[in-house]
């Protein structure tokens, strides 16, 4: 059982780090270069200070932090849900000492805990099972992350958007090519 847990944890971490590296490269170039992203279509143009590709836990937290710092953020998610693995079923948080968790992660866990307290009460088995916010149902994780993004001014989340290419200019990344998986159209951001 322990080796299975280590395997799942290592595979999960490897996936998260790989996703985070892709996000970090895009965010660093877009935000660091001061590039404005534009959603180009016949109906509208959206501009943002930063583009986050993937509404994974890292993507949600990056978008939240940037928005709270006054930046406008466009979150492009290829799937239909916010939260990545934590809203997709990996719901047992594996940390040693809860006191070592801070920042937006601590806020996420506190909001999860508060959800169970409000919904079921402090004396309920559901509240006890949430283990201070470290255990949760996938839909609760998604709801909390959706709320965190919705509370931020300047965050636009677009689901069903797959990145198909990157166009560089003299300053770095000039545009992202994306495919809207719902409308079956290609756009540039």
């Amino acid at each position: 059982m322990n080796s299975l847990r280590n395997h799942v944890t290592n595979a999960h971490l490897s996936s998260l780090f790989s996703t985070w590296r892709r996000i970090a490269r895009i965010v660093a170039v877009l935000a660091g270069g001061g590039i404005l992203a534009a959603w180009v279509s016949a109906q509208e143009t959206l501009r943002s200070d930063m583009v986050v590709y993937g509404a994974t836990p890292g993507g949600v937290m990056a978008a939240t932090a940037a928005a709270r710092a006054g930046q406008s953020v466009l979150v492009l998610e290829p799937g239909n849900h916010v939260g990545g693995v934590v809203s997709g079923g990996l719901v047992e948080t594996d940390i040693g000492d809860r006191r070592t968790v801070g920042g937006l992660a601590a806020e996420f866990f506190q909001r999860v805990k508060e959800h169970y307290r409000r919904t079921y009460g402090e004396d309920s088995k559901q509240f006890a099972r949430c283990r201070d916010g470290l255990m949760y149902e996938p839909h609760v994780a998604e709801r909390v992350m959706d709320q965190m993004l919705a509370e931020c001014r300047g965050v636009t989340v677009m689901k069903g958007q797959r990145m198909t290419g990157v166009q560089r200019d003299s300053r770095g990344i000039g545009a992202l090519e994306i495919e809207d998986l719902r409308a079956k159209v290609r756009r540039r951001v």
Side-chain angles (χ1 to χ4, degrees):
M1 183 67 160
N2 229 2
S3 64
L4 177 61
R5 173 178 249 175
N6 289 339
H7 174 73
V8 170
T9 301
N10 290 337
H12 167 69
L13 288 175
S14 177
S15 174
L16 282 178
F17 287 136
S18 175
T19 301
W20 179 248
R21 280 193 294 272
R22 285 194 310 256
I23 291 169
R25 279 189 219 117
I26 293 170
V27 169
V29 173
L30 290 176
I35 296 171
L36 295 178
W39 176 268
V40 181
S41 73
Q43 291 82 26
E44 63 182 331
T45 299
L46 297 178
R47 298 193 180 281
S48 66
D49 299 311
M50 185 171 120
V51 173
V52 174
Y53 184 71
T56 62
V60 170
M61 298 309 153
T64 301
R68 289 180 181 177
Q71 302 295 302
S72 59
V73 184
L74 178 59
V75 178
L76 302 173
E77 166 56 38
N80 295 317
H81 300 278
V82 168
V85 294
V86 299
S87 65
L90 187 63
V91 296
E92 183 175 351
T93 304
D94 185 16
I95 64 168
D97 186 348
R98 174 75 167 83
R99 296 172 299 177
T100 63
V101 178
L104 291 171
E107 180 181 334
F108 170 78
F109 294 132
Q110 182 60 39
R111 286 174 179 239
V112 167
K113 178 181 170 182
E114 185 61 23
H115 164 82
Y116 284 101
R117 187 190 64 71
R118 270 193 331 268
T119 305
Y120 301 105
E122 289 184 22
D123 296 329
S124 69
K125 63 182 176 183
Q126 293 91 340
F127 183 75
R129 285 184 189 154
C130 88
R131 290 185 30 229
D132 202 25
L134 299 177
M135 291 281 295
Y136 41 84
E137 298 161 278
H139 74 274
V140 173
E142 183 171 14
R143 183 177 303 141
V144 168
M145 290 192 186
D146 275 333
Q147 289 169 348
M148 290 176 77
L149 290 169
E151 291 169 5
C152 294
R153 261 187 58 205
V155 173
T156 301
V157 177
M158 300 179 79
K159 298 175 185 174
Q161 308 298 313
R162 178 174 51 202
M163 184 168 45
T164 59
V166 176
Q167 292 186 346
R168 297 186 56 114
D169 64 18
S170 62
R171 295 170 48 195
I173 295 177
L176 301 177
E177 297 170 1
I178 60 170
E179 179 183 6
D180 185 324
L181 299 173
R182 294 175 184 164
K184 304 288 186 205
V185 298
R186 292 181 181 261
R187 296 189 171 106
R188 290 173 46 144
V189 174

